[in-house]
Amino acid sequence: MKQTPIRIKVDLTNNPYEVVIGKNLLKQIGNELLALGFKQSTKILIVSNPVVAKEYANQLIQNLHLAGFTAKLLVLEAGESQKNIKSIGYIHDSSYEQKLERNSLMIALGGGVVGDMTGFAAATWLRGIPFVQIPTTLLAMVDASVGGKTGVNHPKGKNLIGAFHQPKLVLIDPVTLKTLPDREFRAGIAEVIKYGVIGDKKLFELLENAKDIKNLNSIDKELIIEILYRSVKSKAKIVEQDERESGLRAILNYGHTFGHVIETLEGYGVWIHGEAVSIGMIVAGELAIKKNLWTIEDNQRQKELLLKAGLPIHWPKLNITKVLETLTTDKKVKDGNIKFILPKSIGKVIIDDIDNEEIKKFIYNLNQASNC
Ligand code: NAD
Ligand code: GLY
């Protein structure tokens, strides 16, 4: 059993920081900020959404008060459909009202949506102020809160507006998962399976061998800590080598290229992010089979694990022209070629450019096979 809190360093040359994992850390935030050198006079803006704020904002504010800080809370509507430039305006309005300065602090308390928006608002207020991530969904704990990608959606594509802005601290309190709906928990498991396929075979096998991985109540408590630790460690290692995604970091987008297409074309929020990534991994697996990159057996293992987690695996029939249009406006396009992350084996992926015509044919076949 790992001793908590676990501290994982994201060792970036210019902006190193720690991801701290441990029970009841929400009640430790004040001390963590003092240890980082924040003064008690620091103006703090907490951004959250109604569900998360109701459950956890008081604990957080009380602990900050106890440590001598004062903080204001801004509650924004929940959901992917709110992850837009208008919401950033609300955070900036609040920053203006509270006269946030360069050394003030924003705290994101919530899932990936709150984290991405708060990070982007912090990146753009006064050309960049510090922020702290307190992720409350499994998905945000294992992925979105770490690595400094911040931003919002454009009606034509996911995360098209954004900035790299690293947090000063990521504080993961697994106790907050208790109130997370099962569907959201499973969506987080999709990103965990992603880490297994892209580089952590042992993690993949731990999930394969686990009794149940569908929800927090049925999963082994030690496994949850192991999942958090291994996922954050994987992400930190990749981000340290390629902070701005000029190469290696793209492997974190495994399953996301087709996942983003589904989210964009079906309407933000119809499929939640992790579900779209699950289908995206299935599609990437099929594409890898077509290209003789990996075995039918490994493809089947991936499919079975996603099914075991209760995740969707079926491609929804989509308009081919729109799929291609969305694929080519995605951030993974370079010199007109679409970059795909394709699996070679469990624990290894490659980055591959694929010709537009080949993709068109592939999507046509996907649509034909779709039973939705
Ligand atoms: P989310 O932020 O929409 O949260 C999901 C739902 O869970 C929301 O309704 C929220 O209110 C609720 N919720 C959150 N915490 C809760 C808790 N503890 N108890 C009860 N309810 C709770 O979704 P998400 O899956 O966390 O994040 C998805 C977003 O993250 C997407 O926009 C995606 O693009 C982004 N993302 C970003 C990165 C990155 O590197 N920046 C990586 C992966 C995903
Ligand atoms: N979730 C992809 C990345 O952080 O790069």
Side-chain angles (χ1 to χ4, degrees), residues 40 55 57 73 86 101 114 119 121 123 163 204 214 227 239 248 253 267 272 276 291 297 300 318-319 325 345 359:
Q40 287 160 326
E55 296 285 350
L73 173 67
K86 201 166 157 194
E101 300 162 8
V114 165
F204 192 95
K214 277 201 183 77
I227 280 173
V239 170
L248 176 74
N253 298 325
I272 57 178
K291 295 187 73 73
E297 289 73 32
Q300 191 58 26
L318 296 170
N319 177 292
E325 192 185 291
S345 59
I359 281 299

Side-chain angles (χ1 to χ4, degrees), residues 103-284:
N103 59 358
S104 300
L105 176 69
M106 288 191 198
I107 298 180
L109 175 69
V113 167
V114 165
D116 279 11
M117 293 197 302
T118 310
F120 185 58
T124 44
W125 185 249
L126 304 180
R127 299 199 176 90
I129 70 167
F131 86 111
V132 164
Q133 290 271 20
I134 306 185
T136 61
T137 63
L138 180 61
L139 188 140
M141 290 176 183
V142 298
D143 192 352
S145 64
V146 183
K149 275 192 185 174
T150 72
V152 292
N153 300 324
H154 182 274
K156 290 287 184 191
K158 274 275 295 180
N159 299 331
L160 290 183
I161 307 160
F164 286 99
H165 188 54
Q166 299 293 343
K168 294 289 172 206
L169 170 75
V170 181
L171 209 141
I172 297 179
D173 184 346
V175 174
T176 60
L177 292 176
K178 274 194 184 145
T179 50
L180 189 70
D182 289 349
R183 184 179 175 196
E184 298 293 346
F185 182 84
R186 293 194 292 271
I189 293 288
E191 298 277 11
V192 178
I193 294 174
K194 172 192 84 176
Y195 286 115
V197 180
I198 67 172
D200 190 345
K201 190 173 174 196
K202 170 90 192 293
L203 175 61
F204 192 95
E205 288 167 356
L206 282 173
L207 298 173
E208 279 185 318
N209 296 331
K211 176 169 71 352
D212 198 338
I213 51 171
K214 277 201 183 77
N215 58 56
L216 187 71
N217 288 333
S218 58
I219 202 165
D220 193 76
K221 298 298 161 277
E222 283 182 29
L223 181 58
I224 274 290
I225 298 294
E226 192 68 24
I227 280 173
L228 292 171
Y229 170 73
R230 296 189 84 96
S231 304
V232 170
K233 194 92 186 147
S234 291
K235 181 139 191 193
K237 231 166 74 188
I238 293 167
V239 170
E240 280 166 5
Q241 292 171 72
D242 180 21
E243 184 182 354
R244 298 270 167 148
E245 200 172 307
S246 45
L248 176 74
R249 184 166 178 167
I251 69 171
L252 288 168
N253 298 325
Y254 177 55
H256 287 58
T257 308
F258 283 106
H260 283 175
V261 168
I262 294 170
E263 284 184 88
T264 306
L265 295 184
E266 294 275 89
Y268 295 129
V270 172
W271 297 87
I272 57 178
H273 181 71
E275 291 172 342
V277 169
S278 170
I279 301 171
M281 288 192 277
I282 291 286
V283 174

